[in-house]
Amino acid sequence: MKYIETQEGLRLPRVVLGCMRVADMSCHDLEALVMTAIENGVTHVDHADFYGNFQSEVRFGEVLAENPAIRNQIFLQSKCGIRTAGYYDSSYAHIVESVNNSLKKMNTEYLDCLLIHRPDVLADVDEMARAFEDLEKAGKVRHFGVSNHNPMQIEVLQQALKSRLMFNQMQLSILHTPMIDQGINVNTRFDGAVDRDNGTLEYCKLKHIVLQTWSPFQYGFIEGPFIDNPKFPEVNRVLGEVAQKYEISKTALAVAWLVRLPVKLQVLSGTTKPTRLLEIVKGAGVTLERPDWYAIYKAAGNRLP
């Protein structure tokens, strides 16, 4: 497993174990998945308060209750801010309540990190800062970050905070590349020149923010996997050829393609299968040659100016 270093001195794995689909797993199977992750260096675990109809954290808490030693081996993060009634909520009351609920459900005294899941247009950043400060003082959250935020939204929140925002979790895959396209197509009239994220990739580099990529094997907005999907014959043809060259699977190659980006980047894996997790871990250890990276990018339907 390859690692990244944060400005806070943390050493984090390139792969994060995402728990969005674990609610229906047995405690035994989930523990096996978590132990496989830890044994292979995947010690960063991601949750959100509402994952699995609010049951994913409960299931994970059962694992920690059965095997408390796991807690000291992982960097545990969760997210809050999405209300299932159909709105976003970054109020002081909701942030604090959500964290308290997450701690109770997961049988832990603290989160290593809390992310705000989506930008709340009605958010008062001073109120958010007060929630962060109170949670940190109480020893309930050690670090903070955001998810699906653009650079200016991060800047506005950061100026109100005493602690540094460490993470931004964004969608990125071979078939979802708006963060990459705009930079490649700068000063052209091509569709890729449309700025959809205000330079998030460059901003994360500038501010040493760790970029966590979600849906790394999906196309569109979580429309389905692209690997071996007949809708995408060209990208799968090229993936097959390049994967054979590096002696890895297409899944591993999709991970290698992401971690080749020169930014502090983690790939968020949502798999519930230990064998697939091992493929993903293997991919994070492969360094693609520049021609291969660009060949995959173009095979996905992109053009270079």
Side-chain angles (χ1 to χ4, degrees), residues 35-211:
M35 293 308 299
T36 297
I38 293 172
E39 290 164 4
N40 289 276
V42 182
T43 54
H44 194 145
V45 180
D46 174 75
H47 281 270
D49 53 0
F50 75 95
Y51 280 167
N53 194 26
F54 297 92
Q55 294 302 303
S56 290
E57 289 182 326
V58 173
R59 191 69 63 247
F60 194 80
E62 293 171 355
V63 171
L64 292 186
E66 288 290 324
N67 192 345
I70 287 175
R71 182 63 187 92
N72 294 327
Q73 300 177 66
I74 61 173
F75 185 94
L76 183 60
Q77 82 178 24
S78 193
K79 301 183 288 294
C80 71
I82 297 179
R83 292 281 203 170
T84 55
Y87 64 96
Y88 301 145
D89 187 352
S90 292
S91 65
Y92 176 94
H94 180 63
I95 292 172
V96 172
E97 179 184 25
S98 178
V99 168
N100 286 333
N101 287 337
S102 291
L103 297 180
K104 182 179 180 180
K105 288 190 289 185
M106 288 195 285
N107 287 308
T108 185
E109 295 181 353
Y110 68 95
L111 294 176
D112 290 288
C113 189
L114 173 71
L115 308 185
I116 299 300
H117 210 150
R118 287 278 178 180
D120 175 13
V121 179
L122 304 181
D124 180 330
V125 293
D126 293 324
E127 187 177 338
M128 294 174 68
R130 183 164 59 90
F132 285 9
E133 186 174 349
D134 287 353
L135 289 167
E136 188 173 11
K137 284 182 178 178
K140 294 181 178 181
V141 181
R142 296 183 174 179
H143 304 284
F144 298 92
V146 294
S147 177
N148 305 299
H149 283 56
N150 69 33
M152 188 55 68
Q153 290 166 333
I154 296 174
E155 280 287 298
V156 171
L157 177 56
Q158 183 65 79
Q159 57 82 33
L161 301 176
K162 294 180 180 179
S163 57
R164 191 179 76 90
L165 293 169
M166 289 180 56
F167 302 94
N168 189 12
Q169 196 173 107
M170 298 281 283
Q171 184 179 6
L172 182 63
S173 75
I174 292 170
L175 264 293
H176 185 91
T177 56
M179 277 192 285
I180 296 170
D181 303 337
Q182 193 273 333
I184 287 179
N185 290 279
V186 65
N187 197 35
T188 73
R189 295 183 181 275
F190 300 148
D191 291 342
V194 176
D195 187 354
R196 301 181 186 278
D197 72 322
N198 301 118
T200 296
L201 189 64
E202 292 77 14
Y203 179 80
C204 287
K205 293 180 188 178
L206 179 67
K207 298 294 184 178
H208 304 284
I209 291 173
V210 178
L211 180 65

Side-chain angles (χ1 to χ4, degrees), residues 9-22:
L10 298 176
R11 187 168 180 262
L12 300 173
R14 282 285 203 166
V15 176
V16 177
L17 179 64
C19 292
M20 61 286 292
R21 300 184 181 92
V22 305

